Each structure stands twice: as C-alpha cells, then as structure tokens.
Amino acid sequence: MADPLRILNFIDGQLAAPAGDAYLDNIEPATGKVYSYVADSDGIDVENAVTAAQRAFQGWSETPAAERSQILLRIADLIESDLEELARAESIDTGKPISLARGLDIPRAASNFRFFATAILHVESEAHITDRVAFNYTLRQPRGVVGLISPWNLPLYLLSWKIAPALAAGNTAVAKPSELTPMTAYLLSGICQKAGLPPGVVNIVHGTGPKVGAALTAHPAVGTISFTGGTVTGRAVAESCAPFFKKVSLELGGKNPNIIFADADLEAAIKGSVRSSFANQGQVCLCGSRVFVERPAYQDFVSRFVTEASSLRLGDPLEDKTDQGAIVSKTQLEKVKFYVDLAGKEGGKVVLGGGSPKNLNGRCQDGFFFEPTVITDLPVACRVNREEIFGPVITITPFDREEEVISYANDTEYGLSSSVWTQNLNRAHRVAEKIHAGTVWVNCWLIRDLRVPFGGMKQSGVGREGGDEALRFFTEAKNICIAR
Ligand code: NDP
C-alpha cells in the first residue's frame, strides 16, 4: 500500500517540506484513523513564508486591479471545476456530510474569490472639499504582508473569505489553516499554481497554533492579522498583536439565540431551526444553540422539533444520503460529552439523543459520532446555556414575554448571530434591534449576502468582514490634502 500523503507547505509558489522535517497525524474523523500526515511547521517556515510574501509584495501590489481580478477569477473557476474532488477531500478531512461540502462550503469558497475579484474593479475613493481652503482625497493602499488564521469547521470557505479580499486589495499573505483540517488548503496550493498566481503572493504554512499561529502573530513584518476561531485563542492572538499595534480582525465564538414566537409559521420555524441547530453537526459558529419558544407554542414545538430532528440520517459522511456526519476530533467529541453530562447535573432533561450512536459499524465504527441532542428544563443562566459547546447539542426554553426573551437572548458574553421567527413585522424589527448580535435573521437562517458587514459583538469578535468592510480592513487609508 502507498504511504499516506504528506501535506506540505506552500511557500514562494512551491510545495515545501517543513524545515524541521516533522509531521503530525491527520485523522479522518469518521474512522478515527490516520489518513495523511501534515507538516508540523515552526518559526523557520513562517520566516521563509514571510520573506517570500515580502518579496512578492511590490510586484503584486503594483499589478493592475484588472489583472489581479483575472487571476482570482481563474482560482474561482478552478475551485468550481474541482468541486467533486474538493468536496470529497473536505468531507474526509472534517467529517461533514459530502452533500454539505458539495452544496455549501466549496461553492461558497468559489463565490468568495469571484466576489472580491469583481469588487476590486468597482472601488470608489472619497474626496472632500474643505471650503476654499483645501481639497482632500483618500488613498487606500494595501497593507503589505498579512497573516490569515482560520479554524477547522469550514476550512476552505473561511480561508478563502480571508485570502480573496487580502489579495484583491493588493496584499500578499501567509495563511495558517487549522492543523485538524489542512487538506483543502493543500489542494488550494495547486489551484493557485495552476491559476498563475505569482510565487509568494499566497503562502500556506501548516502546523499547530502554538508554533505556527503564534510565530505569525508575533512576526514584526506581519502588520495585519485576520483571525477566525475560538474566543480564548482570539484573546491570545490579540495579546500577541497588541505590543506591535497590529491591525487585527477577530471572528470568534457564539452562543446564538433562536427565538420562536407563537405567531410564527411553525412548520418553517421547525425546519429552519433543525437546520440551524444541527448543520455540520452543530459546528458552525452561526448555529442557533439556544432555542427560546413562546409558551403557547412550546409543547407543540418541542415534540415536532424532536420528530423532525430524529429523521436526520447519521452515518458515513461520504454517503450522499447522510445528513449528520462525524465530530471533527476526539477532543471535540469529549467536549460535547462533557457538556451533556453537565446539563444533567444542572437539571436538564435530554429529550433526544444524548450519546454516541450504537449502530455504526464498518469503516465508521471507531469514528467520532454524536447524536443530535435536545435538552429542555435548564435554567437560562446555567453553564450549558452560556458556554459555547460547538456540537450537535441545543437547549429549548419557554418564555412568556417579548422583553423577557430579549433579556434571555442577551444573557451571554457572546453576540455573534441570532434568529427570530414571527409573522408580526413590527415585532420582528423591534426585537432584531434589541438583540446584541452582529447578524439577526428574521424567518430564515444562514442567508449570506457577501456585501453585508459580518462579525460579532461582545466577545464574539472585533471588526467586521465582508464586502467593503473587508477591503477596508486590508487597506490603509491615507488622507492627501492639497491646498486650493
Ligand atoms: P481555535 O481558536 O482553536 O483555532 C483557530 C485557529 O487558530 C487554528 O488555526 C489554530 O491552530 C490557531 N491557533 C491556536 N492557537 C493559536 C495561537 N496561540 N496563536 C495563533 N493561532 C492559534 O478554533 P477552532 O479551530 O477550534 O474553531 C472553532 C471556533 O471557531 C469556535 O469557537 C467557533 O465559534 C469559531 N468560529 C467563529 C467564526 C466566526 O465567523 N465568528 C466562524 C467559524 C468558527 P490549530 O487548531 O491548528 O492548533
């Protein structure tokens, strides 16, 4: 049998073994077995990548926007033409159902490149006339070498969400994907080569956060860091960047409320809520993990929600009919189990799931699976209702009044997203305005227009990405003031 693949770094346009020639096991979550190795890089690899990115900066930043756009569009085309290969790779690497990788993650990665490739052609610059005294205009210049750090849950989608605007704006980049899910970033290296991206414009260094991520955030030549991941890691990133006054964007965790009023279209609310609870096994930062239901609809909602969630097919992520795949890692699975145990101690009642499935055999028998789990009867202020679990576990709680549910929704350190289900238009606006979250969906979930500002309030993040916000983040605004 051939040796498993070794995932190499991508530095200066070439695949490169890590300087220390060390590798980490890359485990397939659905089987629990090692299926490839990934470069266990260190500060030397980061240094090499930063040097390559510095060398490439002048040429790339001076490349006309139309040419940069063409190359980014070619990357988008290649992602689309490699859709099946990428979807399979992502499903194996993350444990997510292949249908989700094929239908959402990979197409959205292509859309990210396409969106910023065209956005850069339509950038406007502001001008201000100061009476008869002066004329000002704003010059937005690329910032140089940027560091891009991304998590494991939507690996190619979130990486491309950073690479595309950074490059479109004329920066060069050093990216660090999660060591748990490096495969699609590795395939992206080949796509960048094929698309004709000049060497050094994107460099991808694989390895752990403490070694590669920390070296990147501490590198004095990397003045801009865009990070997506957990709140605890985000704090470490912010601390590391602070002494250099780096420009930092932090997209962090969430504990998102999903509010259902009794006047909602319950059929739509139940279907939408099952999706927002369990998509990607609940491992989407935007999943609604705290469901609040107005009391007259509570019993009906819980029983219909449980019936609907019970119909989700859990199994081999590579099978087309699977709705629920594996949890990304053993550590994450243990975390999910910990919180389900804790829910029992905090007075919760498990009304669906609550454990690992018993009926998985064949290649998935040692995989990291957990059933979709619904817990009721918990106090709003308990740990399970306040801390991010990031798995297929949700709580459902009744409420009586609008002000009461707004206070429940806001009773957490997080403020990433929220959903509100109601047919009362006035209430929808009123509640949406009062919820402390960067995004509020009304009668829907996960609809993403790439032009809108995206990000979190409170401990869910700092800064906004998406559309103009991302292009602004990756550029430095300079005011040029000319006397009249
Ligand atoms: P982590 O915070 O564990 O890791 C995110 C990235 O940071 C990984 O590449 C990780 O490397 C790296 N990293 C770890 N330590 C450091 C360090 N000291 N310095 C620099 N980089 C470091 O998040 P997860 O990968 O576990 O992702 C899940 C989290 O991401 C959840 O909290 C989720 O809510 C959040 N998330 C937020 C989103 C948003 O838009 N707000 C979107 C998606 C997820 P490695 O893992 O290889 O060690």
Side-chain angles (χ1 to χ4, degrees), residues 149-153 158 176-179 207-209 213-214 227-230 233 237 251-254 285 388 390 416 454:
I149 303 176
S150 51
W152 47 259
N153 60 334
L158 291 174
K176 191 220 114 32
S178 168
E179 109 218 11
T208 65
F227 170 88
T228 301
T233 321
V237 168
E251 294 290 346
L252 308 176
C285 53
E388 187 185 44
F390 220 55
L416 189 55
F454 175 83

Side-chain angles (χ1 to χ4, degrees), residues 156-422:
L156 189 63
Y157 173 41
L158 291 174
L159 187 65
S160 57
W161 179 240
K162 297 182 185 305
I163 291 180
L167 267 50
N171 303 279
T172 55
V174 178
K176 191 220 114 32
S178 168
E179 109 218 11
L180 296 176
T181 57
M183 190 57 87
T184 45
Y186 171 72
L187 295 173
L188 184 67
S189 314
I191 288 177
C192 290
Q193 282 174 323
K194 264 202 224 164
L197 190 71
V201 173
V202 163
N203 305 273
I204 301 175
V205 183
H206 296 279
T208 65
K211 275 159 78 177
V212 177
L216 193 53
T217 56
H219 199 296
V222 181
T224 309
I225 295 284
S226 172
F227 170 88
T228 301
T231 296
V232 172
T233 321
R235 192 168 289 122
V237 168
E239 281 169 6
S240 167
C241 292
F244 299 94
F245 305 105
K246 295 188 182 196
K247 192 171 181 188
V248 185
S249 155
L250 301 169
E251 294 290 346
L252 308 176
K255 188 73 182 174
N256 310 311
N258 177 16
I259 301 169
I260 290 102
F261 285 95
D263 67 7
D265 172 346
L266 268 201
E267 187 65 23
I270 288 163
K271 281 203 170 2
S273 302
V274 166
R275 215 177 129 239
S276 68
S277 301
F278 301 121
N280 198 28
Q281 300 73 249
Q283 301 167 125
V284 178
C285 53
L286 304 166
C287 274
S289 51
R290 296 181 296 144
V291 182
F292 298 105
V293 186
E294 200 173 10
R295 203 171 302 270
Y298 180 75
Q299 290 303 346
D300 189 23
F301 180 93
V302 172
S303 79
R304 286 166 64 187
F305 181 93
V306 165
T307 305
E308 182 78 21
S310 312
S311 70
L312 293 171
R313 283 160 304 197
L314 189 152
D316 190 337
L318 287 177
E319 285 181 16
D320 280 333
K321 60 179 190 337
T322 296
D323 302 308
Q324 289 286 289
I327 305 293
V328 74
S329 67
K330 193 156 192 293
T331 312
Q332 192 63 22
L333 179 63
E334 294 305 324
K335 184 178 173 197
V336 170
K337 287 180 178 167
F338 167 83
Y339 277 105
V340 173
D341 285 349
L342 182 62
K345 292 177 192 142
E346 292 186 320
K349 187 168 138 203
V350 174
V351 294
L352 179 71
S356 290
K358 308 271 178 294
N359 56 352
L360 282 176
N361 36 40
R363 75 176 213 108
C364 292
Q365 65 187 0
D366 297 322
F368 311 135
F369 292 86
F370 201 84
E371 298 163 322
T373 296
V374 178
I375 300 169
T376 59
D377 295 64
L378 275 174
V380 176
C382 69
R383 280 185 66 190
V384 172
N385 261 328
R386 282 225 171 109
E387 297 173 17
E388 187 185 44
I389 302 173
F390 220 55
V393 179
I394 61 130
T395 63
I396 311 187
T397 309
F399 69 89
D400 294 297
R401 290 170 299 106
E402 191 177 301
E403 307 73 51
E404 177 191 8
V405 77
I406 289 167
S407 75
Y408 288 173
N410 292 336
D411 187 18
T412 155
E413 296 300 317
Y414 294 107
L416 189 55
S417 71
S418 166
S419 283
V420 178
W421 297 83
T422 176

Side-chain angles (χ1 to χ4, degrees), residues 113-168:
F113 278 103
R114 211 175 284 295
F115 177 86
F116 287 105
T118 49
I120 198 67
L121 301 175
H122 305 280
V123 172
E124 289 176 355
S125 183
E126 307 93 283
H128 305 275
I129 314 294
T130 315
D131 303 317
R132 296 190 169 277
V133 181
F135 164 80
N136 299 270
Y137 67 93
T138 306
L139 192 62
R140 292 191 183 272
Q141 296 171 302
R143 294 182 50 85
V145 178
V146 301
L148 312 174
I149 303 176
S150 51
W152 47 259
N153 60 334
L154 304 160
L156 189 63
Y157 173 41
L158 291 174
L159 187 65
S160 57
W161 179 240
K162 297 182 185 305
I163 291 180
L167 267 50

Side-chain angles (χ1 to χ4, degrees), residues 12-77:
D12 211 11
Q14 300 297 326
L15 292 174
D21 207 29
Y23 293 84
L24 301 159
D25 291 345
N26 186 22
I27 294 169
E28 179 178 1
T31 63
K33 298 196 171 50
V34 175
Y35 87 102
S36 81
Y37 301 109
V38 57
D40 182 11
S41 312
D42 57 26
I44 299 176
D45 302 289
V46 171
E47 189 61 48
N48 293 342
V50 171
T51 305
Q54 282 178 308
R55 255 196 321 266
F57 177 67
Q58 188 177 353
W60 181 249
S61 59
E62 290 175 3
T63 300
E67 270 178 51
R68 294 204 300 269
S69 170
Q70 282 304 320
I71 294 174
L72 297 178
L73 287 173
R74 276 204 291 280
I75 295 177
D77 289 345

